[in-house]
Amino acid sequence: MTASRPAEPPSEDLSRLAALHGVATSYRPSPDRTVTASATAVTRALAALGVDAGTPDAVRAALTAGERERDERLLPPTVVGWGTDVPPALAALPEGTRLRVRTEQGETRASAGHLPPGVHEVTATAPDGRAARAHLIVAPPRLPAPPGRSYGLLVQLYSLLSRRSWGMGDLGDLGELAGWAGRTLGAGFVQVNPLHAAVPGAPTDPSPYRPSSRRFPDPVHLRIEAVPEFAHVEDRERVRALLERAGRLREAVLERGALIDRDAVWEAKREALELAHAVPLGPGRHAAYRDFLAGQGRALEDHATWCALAEVHGADWHRWPAGLRDPRSSETARARRELADRVDFHSRLAWLTDAQLTDAQRTAREAGMPVGIVHDLAVGVHPGGADAWAQQEYFAPGTSVGAPPDAFNARGQDWGLPPWRPDRLAESGYAPFRALLRALFRYAGALRIDHVMGLFRLWWVPEGHPPTEGTYVRYDAEAMLAVLVLEASRAGAVVIGEDLGTVEPGVREALRERGVYGTSVLWFERDWEGDGRPLPPERWRADCLATATTHDLPPTAARLTGEHVDLRAGLGLLTRPPAEERAEAAADTAEWLELLAGLGLLRGGTGGTGTSAEEDGIRAVHRYLLRTPARLVGVWLPDGVGDRRPQNLPGTWDQYPNWRLPIADAQGRPVTLEELAASPRLRALLEVLRTDIGRGSGPHGPVRAAPTGPEEQRGDERNGEREGERNGEREGG
């Protein structure tokens, strides 16, 4: 790439036009530094929003029209109210304005006060004759707190193989894990990776953070033997061959060191599911299926149609015949009829997967878990996938989501995910976001929102340009939060925002105000505003999920031994000499071990070596998490058996087997679900949490009140994890 000239800053008119549409002309990567966005970035972002800013005359015309519309507009397209108060936008209407509210429940009212929660329609008519119609989102003031303090397990589902898995973990394994952890060890939740539908076609992108659809789950996670129709397949020879094939896939991973082969697993499961699809549904199940189809409506029809068309024309709808690129065209309608059997097949898979997800949550709750299964919402979808095809009007063309350059990543990041258009969301009353959340809350006891800062703003990267030439585009965070709080409240679910990294001022406070929990990772909880030392446990925030690590970070054993530096050094990922990196990592770990020992949590002192010292260190880390006021404490399941390998190594693509590793022990030997349940090492770790939670603050004992005073506030004011450490947050390269 040749060196480029310095970017031209936006003109005054272009800056005013950008402000009208929520497009930033500068950003602050740190409190003492402001970076100006290029005129190209601003112009391209405006173009993706349907605003022509290609010439000075076009900018002036768009600015004049935009300011006139702003000044004459009686109401924005979506109005937000919290609780029973009159929404501020309605209270600010001219005196004498007549209101007509049609509630979601079908009532008609002449006032906007004391409305029930829901998405209503409001019509306003001003004395001067101006009229406006808007969506009115009324949400409870905040989400309820989780029922008491609890701990839970964090696991990438595909990595959790049992002796019944078909080569990767499935929803049957998830139910077994939840049932065991809840009943035996008093765990309150199990958090998994996104289970969204992947883009089909070998080789499938193994990352769960670039799905085809976030609206529907991926049938690769189905436990085939739990599909009732599979037991009635008449061709028993094919069934036997499939079961043997599944056994070979399982044994390859567990016994022969093979990586998880998602494509091979799906090929076997697809064949099994097609056999089951040929078995007629019984009357009761047929009625249940018809109800599911009616409830999901056009969204499922679109998703299943895309899946059927992808089998014929490939997985990128941009390359389909022109008529099929429009989900509402006559050509698409004709193709849907011609492919009716395949459309029904994919609709059936969505129904089966939804049922098994619901069963897993039911199993978790019946096992005594107050929360149950925590599902993960990815930040976006693949540009060629089902959601981007079916909801084209809501996605910004020619752009993708990423992150700006910072001190640790001078090139910035491009995640290849098309962003939602904030204007189209507002015009629809946030219908796509509402439908997405409602679908996930069908079977989620809690929802983790990846990169929750995206509810406020996203870094848009113009197609064909490097991430350095992007800019932030703002969303109506109040409306996004209102939808989130409304749908989560209806489901009685907890919401956890992944708010690690660089977070603009006010975001954590706004999330806290609405009851959305944050995410705190031990190694990055330091006094960044003071001496930089590890943050004492009492200064952590209470409204968070506290963990020792995540899927993008080294397991705790590797962190304690420094093996995470060796791994990155071996792959050529270090930006400094290995000795310098090792010294810094060792000093960082030593500071934490010193604090743990000083608190009496490191029973063997700081100088021990060997397996017992490592296990003691991992337990001490989790004893420390229990000393914080965090109401949710998470245990990375591989930490329980000494796994050294991260599931995803940011900054790599094919150099490292991201998203394809089974849980393994300290020697790298895969560990099955059955072995995990019988592991003395895992039991000893979880007993630490079960005993301490039960003694004073868990689901089996009195709940410690969440502090809301200065100590909690100070725990939220640190910068958290360095953005550069995360290096991509979700894509692994």
Side-chain angles (χ1 to χ4, degrees), residues 591-603:
E591 285 187 339
W592 278 102
L593 291 174
E594 180 183 1
L595 176 59
L596 296 175
L599 292 172
L601 304 178
L602 195 63
R603 306 293 163 81

Side-chain angles (χ1 to χ4, degrees), residues 415-429:
W415 304 329
L417 309 169
W420 265 338
R421 285 183 55 165
D423 57 333
R424 294 282 173 82
L425 287 177
E427 290 164 6
S428 72

Side-chain angles (χ1 to χ4, degrees), residues 227-248:
V227 175
E229 288 70 37
F230 186 67
H232 300 285
V233 173
E234 292 183 357
D235 191 341
R236 303 314 298 173
E237 184 61 28
R238 286 189 68 186
V239 169
R240 184 189 63 78
L242 278 169
L243 293 175
E244 290 179 353
R245 186 168 155 195
R248 290 193 295 272

Side-chain angles (χ1 to χ4, degrees), residues 298-486:
R298 193 173 79 176
L300 177 57
E301 185 179 73
D302 285 343
H303 176 73
T305 299
W306 183 91
C307 292
L309 289 171
E311 292 177 336
V312 178
H313 300 289
D316 185 351
W317 62 270
H318 297 93
R319 300 181 180 180
W320 293 355
L324 298 179
R325 297 173 199 163
D326 179 0
R328 308 290 160 244
S329 71
S330 59
E331 292 91 337
T332 298
R334 182 170 59 252
R336 183 183 293 117
R337 292 190 296 270
E338 294 170 351
L339 297 170
D341 184 66
R342 299 307 295 170
V343 172
D344 182 71
F345 173 68
H346 291 290
S347 298
R348 182 89 66 89
L349 297 190
W351 174 57
L352 294 172
T353 313
D354 180 271
Q356 289 196 12
L357 285 161
T358 302
D359 286 344
Q361 172 63 2
R362 183 185 304 114
T363 297
R365 296 303 296 270
E366 290 176 351
M369 288 188 169
V371 175
I373 309 301
V374 182
H375 285 276
D376 198 347
L377 175 61
V379 73
V381 295
H382 194 286
D387 283 2
W389 175 74
Q391 299 179 337
Q392 292 175 46
E393 67 270 29
Y394 295 109
F395 287 98
T399 60
S400 64
V401 176
D406 56 34
F408 302 95
N409 193 331
R411 297 180 180 179
Q413 302 162 35
D414 184 346
W415 304 329
L417 309 169
W420 265 338
R421 285 183 55 165
D423 57 333
R424 294 282 173 82
L425 287 177
E427 290 164 6
S428 72
Y430 293 82
F433 190 41
R434 286 189 278 128
L436 170 60
L437 293 173
R438 198 172 300 129
L440 291 168
F441 284 131
R442 284 173 59 88
Y443 43 73
L447 185 65
R448 173 192 181 269
I449 299 183
D450 193 39
H451 193 69
V452 72
M453 295 81 79
L455 299 180
F456 296 76
R457 66 178 185 176
L458 285 171
W459 183 258
W460 286 21
V461 180
E463 185 178 1
H465 290 257
T468 52
E469 295 183 25
T471 191
Y472 277 112
V473 175
R474 189 161 294 283
Y475 293 76
D476 185 341
E478 185 177 37
M480 300 285 275
L481 281 173
V483 171
L484 178 61
V485 171
L486 174 64

Side-chain angles (χ1 to χ4, degrees), residues 13-25 42-43 45-53 58-70 73 420-424 427 456-458 460 471-476:
D13 283 348
L14 182 56
S15 295
R16 288 169 57 198
L17 180 62
L20 275 178
H21 296 277
V23 177
T25 54
V42 173
T43 300
L46 287 168
L49 293 169
V51 179
D52 181 5
V59 169
R60 284 190 289 271
L63 180 59
T64 299
E67 290 180 337
R68 182 188 306 117
E69 180 187 357
R70 178 199 60 193
R73 185 176 61 192
W420 265 338
R421 285 183 55 165
D423 57 333
R424 294 282 173 82
E427 290 164 6
F456 296 76
R457 66 178 185 176
L458 285 171
W460 286 21
T471 191
Y472 277 112
V473 175
R474 189 161 294 283
Y475 293 76
D476 185 341

